[in-house]
Amino acid sequence: MSLCSVRRLSVGYGDFKVLFDIDLDIDEGQAMAMIGANGAGKTTLLRAITGLLKAPDDSIKFAGRPIAGTPPHAIVALGVAMVPEGRCLFPSLSVEENLLVGAHAKRRGPWTLQRVYDLFPALLQRRRAPVELLSGGQQQMVAIGRALMSNPRLLLCDEVSLGLAPIVIKSIYCAFPAILAEGTTILVVEQDIGRAIAMADTVTCLQEGKVTLAGPPKQFSRADITAAYFGR
Amino acid sequence: MSLFAVVDPVMQGLLLGGMYALFAIGLSLSFGIMRMVNIAHGDIIVLAAYVTLVVVETLAVNPFVAMIVVVPSLAAFGYVLQRVLLNPVLGDDILPPLLVTFGLSVIIQNLLLAVFSADPMGIHADAVQTASIGLGGGLAVGVLPLIIFASAVAVVAGLELLFAFTGLGRAFRATSDNQTVAQLMGIDNRHLYAVATALALAISAIAGSFLALRTTFVPTLGPSKLLVAFEAIIVGGMGSLWGTLAGAMLLGVAQSIGFRYNSGSGILAGHFVFLAILLVRPQGLFARARRS
Amino acid sequence: MSLLELENASRLQHGVWIAAAALLAVLILAPWWADDSDLRSIAEFAYLVAIAQMWNLLAGYGGLISVGQQVFIGIGGYTLLILSLDAGISPFLCIPVAGVVSALFAVPIAAVVFRLQGPYFAIGTWVVADVFRLALDNVPAIGGGSGKSLTSALMSIPGWQREATTYWIALGLGVGLTIGVYLILRSRLGLAMTAVRDSVPASESLGVRVGRTKLLIYVASALGLGMAGALIYLTKLRVSPDAAFSMDWTVLMIFIVVIGGIGTVEGPIVGTAVFFFLRAMLADFGPWYLVILGSVAVVVMLKARRGIWGWVAGRFNFHVFPTRRRIRVNSLRSGFAEMPPSPRYLTE
């Protein structure tokens, strides 16, 4: 059952087109990894799904309902949450306040402050601290926790491993099974092909604004993926 | 020079600062939350003074009772103003909101002129306007300036509590930090901005009602209120409401002393304090250290 | 024939320029054919174009939005007053001097107000104008708050000669400052200005000296406004602080530029024409006239941000003063493509 479906989506910035006729289905309860080189259009696709970028009518459906043209805050209320690239925490808010802002849409569900602290125990001791005093990994945990606080049906994670040490990345990826266990669907944008394949039920590759590969990772050889990633 | 000649203007100036702080807080909120400067800010304060006058005269009520009508009316006006005129022009470019509020300033001033004429008006309704408390040695403080000052402190304290402890306050701070990401948290920034303007105009309405009680007023008074509000914010340091109150008090003292020295140079003395601060400490006296 | 050529002027533009030159010749001869009130109206039209051009240069091209430009009108007016009454200098000669004095004042004023960013800069400039107004209120030697009359400085000049010379200077300022703005925009400084307005970091990285560029624009605008201010008070014959440093001057500049088309050389001329029309239509309405003018400006800002001329230029792709370098692509079919650069606030 497709939770979010994208059909013939073409968007860009002014005259500069980034995505060309994208088709994409994200199945409920699954983890999808999206790979692709810099500039392939991954972040642009997430911006279109979250409503930050105006998409043509009927190009995006969420839970069966067209959402193109819906303002971002209303899309959050429908159950789409985003962990933006570079974390984008609110510097004048403490850790706990950042998490609480995430609950602004007041959606009911399993995720509460307590559950987020259970998922990321490191945050509990730093709950009153300004987010800038946290390590990069802890900041990433706040960003994920903040998105979870809206109890999303679909969690979009943009480059969560960017700039983090491998051991820290591992501890963050450890959180995904618990999130999936709550029935939340996850889309992770990832540069590292190996890590993407390891965690995902399906993998999608973008290259220069087009989908070059989509399906369960088992289907594809290493060479298929490399070709889809870099072009022939 | 007698002690009285020093203490009295300082004391009156500090109290005057309460009035100026009420002028400034609304402007500070708009800039803090939306990075928007409302050039019609002073004219809206003067508009509130006229609305108070009308309410007092038509309903034959005490001016303090009139505020129960005036404050919500201006808040509602602020909400609509933001949604209809200001949200559409808010963006990276600072020119459109400045010019729209500039046009609004001219519109409000001339509407008031058309309706109320250029004759000075005032409210003479309440004993509190003339009451004062003697402090001995010839010193006395007016009851009304004390009430105004206490109101300013209460408004600043109330806003600080709002920002620190409520969901709305968190949403304001988050939006001020990064309005795009705030939308991704489910915050409707157009509604939030309208609420911010409603709040700013509610406080400006309090300021306008007090202005009407304190002095006579004319339709063209708005720009001078905008300038003193602006100076209080810069002198106090942007981003700090307590700083704005302190800046307003400093300006009040400067004007009060300047006025004693020469009745024509009161406001000028305030301008000089502002320019001096701008040259020596452009971030203001009490700027909140901004971690970026 | 190369494939890409910088296209400068079209045939239609040449036609407009010839018509403008003919109109100018007729206007220069106006003292011989027009009566006093027509002469004064044309002079007012010309100086309003002049001051609107100066605000347009600052805000529309320099990105410096000031609501305190009346300070330079006032400085110009008072320079005229002091030099002609107290130093006995010919009032006509005072006009260029007033421009220089105004430009000299602009440097220290800039040192203060440039410390304020964005919208706060706008209000800071207003405080400075208010400082001048209040300070001159307290100087009895030049009339204090009620100001002083210039008539004694002008008595020695025969009436027709005074009227005609004043008129020619007004015309000269209107035309001269328009052409001046156009030439600045076509110069290296103009390119630097446009770059700074559109993005400060990007222009810094290209080697544009942002601070110096902004200061130059600010001083240039003060120079023009100082001359215009002296000229204006030569026609009004009385200088007082409240009038000379009045916000009304900036209200006029802004409304004219916004309605006519901000960021175009043609805009202030179109805006002044609209202003004259509205004022004539609404003359009997008292304060309502400014309410309506303000509403028109707000509606333009909301619905047609580029103003009347911006709309015309966009719709018909026509410029009398092409300040943008347009690239012409020559091909065998002699079709041409354009790359119109679009300032940020025009595209949003």
Side-chain angles (χ1 to χ4, degrees), chain B residues 37 85 93 102 271 278-279, chain C residues 115 120 123 130 247 302 345:
Chain B
V37 168
L85 282 187
D93 189 0
F102 183 79
H271 286 337
L278 203 53
L279 283 173
Chain C
R115 288 168 173 257
Y120 277 168
I123 307 186
D130 209 42
M247 188 66 194
L302 283 169
Y345 63 87

Side-chain angles (χ1 to χ4, degrees), chain C:
Chain C
M1 190 166 87
S2 66
L3 186 65
L4 292 171
E5 259 176 35
L6 277 176
E7 186 201 25
N8 286 321
S10 71
R11 196 169 294 172
L12 184 55
Q13 274 159 17
H14 287 305
V16 171
W17 285 353
I18 290 165
L23 177 68
L24 184 60
V26 173
L27 289 178
I28 289 171
L29 299 175
W32 285 281
W33 57 259
D35 63 25
D36 279 2
S37 83
D38 287 342
L39 222 48
R40 262 180 240 124
S41 291
I42 304 170
E44 189 191 5
F45 192 100
Y47 73 62
L48 286 179
V49 168
I51 66 175
Q53 287 292 7
M54 291 300 98
W55 194 83
N56 191 30
L57 176 70
L58 202 62
Y61 292 102
L64 288 165
I65 301 150
S66 161
V67 291
Q69 288 309 92
Q70 66 270 28
V71 71
F72 299 114
I73 302 264
I75 290 171
Y78 270 92
T79 307
L80 169 72
L81 180 80
I82 293 165
L83 291 185
S84 64
L85 280 185
D86 299 337
I89 298 173
S90 153
F92 304 123
L93 195 63
C94 286
I95 288 169
V97 179
V100 174
V101 170
S102 180
L104 290 176
F105 268 102
V107 176
I109 290 174
V112 180
V113 292
F114 277 25
R115 288 168 173 257
L116 294 160
Q117 299 296 318
Y120 277 168
F121 167 82
I123 307 186
T125 60
W126 198 350
V127 174
V128 171
D130 209 42
V131 166
F132 276 82
R133 179 180 70 84
L134 292 167
L136 288 170
D137 265 347
N138 292 314
V139 185
I142 46 173
S146 55
K148 225 169 176 177
S149 167
L150 277 164
T151 30
S152 62
L154 291 161
M155 275 195 308
S156 58
I157 308 166
W160 189 88
Q161 189 191 333
R162 182 167 58 82
E163 295 274 340
T165 313
T166 308
Y167 168 80
W168 283 321
I169 294 172
L171 193 63
L173 280 178
V175 174
L177 291 181
T178 299
I179 293 172
V181 167
Y182 176 59
L183 292 179
I184 288 179
L185 293 174
R186 302 284 315 213
S187 71
R188 279 179 63 88
L189 178 64
L191 276 178
M193 280 164 61
T194 316
V196 169
R197 179 195 61 192
D198 290 344
S199 169
V200 168
S203 38
E204 267 171 347
S205 71
L206 292 170
V208 175
R209 287 193 275 170
V210 172
R212 198 187 71 127
T213 305
K214 286 188 166 182
L215 181 66
L216 277 174
I217 306 164
Y218 192 73
V219 171
S221 164
L223 180 84
L225 287 173
M227 290 194 287
L231 179 271
I232 287 169
Y233 282 94
L234 192 57
T235 68
K236 296 204 179 280
L237 298 177
R238 178 170 199 92
V239 191
S240 71
D242 283 357
F245 294 96
S246 166
M247 188 66 194
D248 295 351
W249 292 118
T250 300
V251 172
L252 284 178
M253 293 179 218
I254 292 181
F255 284 180
I256 287 173
V257 171
V258 167
I259 294 171
I262 190 162
T264 64
V265 181
E266 299 89 342
I269 303 168
V270 174
T272 307
V274 172
F275 168 74
F276 266 65
F277 173 76
L278 284 178
R279 190 173 62 174
M281 296 287 293
L282 304 169
D284 302 330
F285 289 90
W288 290 104
Y289 136 70
L290 273 170
V291 173
I292 293 168
L293 196 61
S295 309
V296 171
V298 168
V299 169
V300 166
M301 217 56 223
L302 283 169
K303 299 291 172 199
R305 225 173 257 191
R306 308 160 65 170
I308 294 172
W309 189 262
W311 182 81
V312 170
R315 183 93 169 71
F316 302 105
N317 194 14
F318 171 66
H319 304 267
V320 179
F321 297 100
T323 55
R324 295 151 181 192
R325 287 163 176 76
R326 294 191 283 178
I327 294 174
R328 184 187 162 116
V329 182
N330 294 318
S331 74
L332 292 175
R333 284 175 293 134
S334 80
F336 65 92
E338 290 209 44
M339 292 173 62
S342 32
R344 211 159 14 110
Y345 63 87
L346 301 183
T347 52
E348 274 164 9

